[in-house]
Amino acid sequence: MVDDPKAGIGAIRRAVAVLSSGGLVAFPTETVYGLGADASNPTAVRRVFEVKGRPVDHPLIVHLGALDQLDDWARDVPDAARVLSRTFWPGPLTMILRRSNRVVDEVTGGRETVGLRIPDHGVALEMLRSFGGGVAAPSANRFGRVSPTSADHVRADLGDDVDFILDGGPCTVGVESTIVDLSGDEPEVLRPGGISADLISQVLAMPVRLWGGERDVAAPGTLASHYAPEVRVEIVAVDEVPGRCVEVLASGLRVGVLGAEEIHDLPVEAVVLEAGGGPDGFARVLYERLRDADRLGLDILLVQPPEPIGVGVAIHDRLKRAAHVRPR
Ligand code: TXA
Ligand code: MG
């Protein structure tokens, strides 16, 4: 594996060459790093699933470099999708649309729909535009684990299983894109993310459903247990944090605290992790802090999240999944 700490022209060329020859490239986006393959190459796409350890029926998002590619990859594109793509692309929004004939089964797990997105990241856009085709990419982590928000995270997770890592610095949004399904009668948000359902609803001037149930895997990957670090995550209200810290310490376990607000009266033994300011700052560092908690060998991480508004909805969603089960 060769990589380059500063993604200059040489690194982007290299990434494009690797994609063109059927290799896997980890690349930066504004949300999280992706593990990319040429979306038109079924063998390359199959390798993404192998490396991730992901079930083959969990479809991948196809990343595009320009708006005029939309109709190459989707058909019967509704007006709502045109409006959203013009408003939010490049940006943290994935649209589920009916797929065109060029989309191979390997990408969609045989579904008739495809997820499309133009990421808002200079390095990613250069790579995608220079490559010219679609890049199918899940987040560049092993299945079920925390998504990577830096090239170092990718290196730590995937090592030599990826052919090239394009380093574009830390991700600025920090949680995965909002997924909105526009293939049915009514728009439905399948996964909250950087762009809120409220904003989508405002822009479309129509109600948007929020998927929240456990019914047949609407967006496979929105499994109850996902985004899971080793540490046990507990979501705790601000005034309950000090007391819970004392309890955890009394049981002989190591406790960490990640608070959206400054929390007073914490026992000195509690390890305080620094959250960024406001919901956006919190989202930006969330996955890094979950990794920090594991690196520090904490047993329990008490998280006091920001209000569930804007990207705060996505933070709550990911924390619930991280808190659900701890894979060992
Ligand atoms: O921000 C993001 O979306 C990042 C960056 C790399 O773009 N990607 C990402 O990919 O989070 P992944 O594979 O980890 O999550 C994509 C989600 C999965 O839950 C998948 O099931 C869902 O999108 N998805 C993709 N295509 C779909 C489709 N046709 N129908 C329903 N869900 C789909
Ligand atoms: Mg993922």
Side-chain angles (χ1 to χ4, degrees), residues 90-180:
L93 180 76
T94 296
M95 295 196 295
I96 307 295
L97 297 165
R98 298 183 66 186
R99 72 179 195 177
S100 75
N101 291 335
R102 80 183 285 169
V103 180
V104 299
D105 278 338
E106 279 77 2
V107 167
T108 71
R111 286 164 182 253
E112 284 312 307
T113 55
V114 64
L116 300 174
R117 145 170 144 85
I118 301 182
D120 187 15
H121 191 292
V123 171
L125 287 171
E126 286 235 15
M127 180 193 81
L128 289 163
R129 285 170 188 166
S130 158
F131 178 61
V135 172
S139 50
N141 51 286
R142 306 269 182 212
F143 182 63
R145 308 313 304 245
V146 178
S147 294
T149 53
S150 75
D152 280 343
H153 297 166
V154 178
R155 241 170 248 130
D157 281 6
L158 301 181
D160 286 338
D161 285 348
V162 49
D163 300 308
F164 187 68
I165 300 175
L166 189 56
D167 188 341
C171 302
T172 51
V173 174
V175 291
E176 300 80 355
S177 62
T178 302
I179 302 179
V180 61

Side-chain angles (χ1 to χ4, degrees), residues 254 292-299:
R254 299 198 58 199
D292 289 343
D294 282 347
R295 192 171 40 76
L296 294 166
L298 302 179
D299 298 299

